[in-house]
Amino acid sequence: MGDTEVEILTARDVPLGGPRAMTVRRTLPQRSRTLIGAWCFADHYGPDRVADSGGMDVAPHPHTGLQTVSWLFSGEIEHRDSLGTHAFVRPGELNLMTGGHGIAHTEVSTPDTTVLHGVQLWVALPDEHRHAPRDFQHHAPKPLRVDGADIRVFLGTLAGDASPVRTFTPLLGAELLIDPGASVTLDVDPAFEHGLLVDQGDVRLDGTLLRPAELGYAGTGRTTLTLANDSAERARAVLLGGTPFEEEIIMWWNFIGRSHEDIVEAREEWEKASARFGEVEGYPGDRLPAPALPNARIAPRKNPARR
Ligand code: MN
């Protein structure tokens, strides 16, 4: 059903940088697609043995104009931010941080973590809320069982469950574990577009085969989505959705703005340690310096026009 075919977005490998760098698989943004709903960034990593990869150790860095969503399949990450939050990101528990006008945070895998595996996602804030105050929300959804799958709804509503977490635009975020050979049909909001990021197994989304690390995009107009696990093991996937985000955004480093000048200003304020971003307490190391600005003006991004 729906007005368009499912589009397959493949990941590119991106080293996160630093001396013991983890590599992530990035599916958003990419040339053919900037956003799915307000979801504007999707990094997928692991399973990585921390003994080999060095794990995650991201020094204090800023964000503006967006929310970060951390969702783990295994391992544990210690989160600290300039709101004063000190939290642990654990499998099956949502941590959603609102950068808004400005926040700084650190993310470090804990010493007990042997395998790190999960996703890091960003949500673009609409213009009227992009200077919202810093915020941090946590939610551990109870897994719900439908015929053929276990579902954890961390944002929005799916299969009769609703997340209490507040968002600035209509959004959906859920983890699905699909039984071997099972097919599950879920009612969805036809005003939403959706992305299915496959972590393990081979999953058909409305008939289109998606392999691990691929993101299947399904446009608006669908009243259901059918997910079929073609593999002999349990499949795991993350379903993202939202109403199309029509604003043009500028993404550079850890900032989202609406103009080149917004980015220049945010960068300058980070470099001079202004109160806009605040201080992260308890991290044993220096803050990350912003990279140099490009010579050219930073171009806005918008989804390409529908073919
Ligand atoms: Mn961050």
Side-chain angles (χ1 to χ4, degrees), residues 61 63 105 107:
H61 63 279
H63 288 292
H105 74 142
E107 297 157 290

Side-chain angles (χ1 to χ4, degrees), residues 2-3 187-194 218-224 242-244:
D3 54 355
D187 290 335
V188 293
D189 186 334
F192 278 32
E193 51 186 359
H194 293 89
T220 57
R222 289 169 166 79
T223 54
T224 62
T243 51

Side-chain angles (χ1 to χ4, degrees), residues 58 61-63 68 97 105 107 120 122 254:
V58 189
H61 63 279
H63 288 292
T68 62
M97 182 184 80
H105 74 142
E107 297 157 290
Q120 163 83 24
W122 292 359
N254 292 306

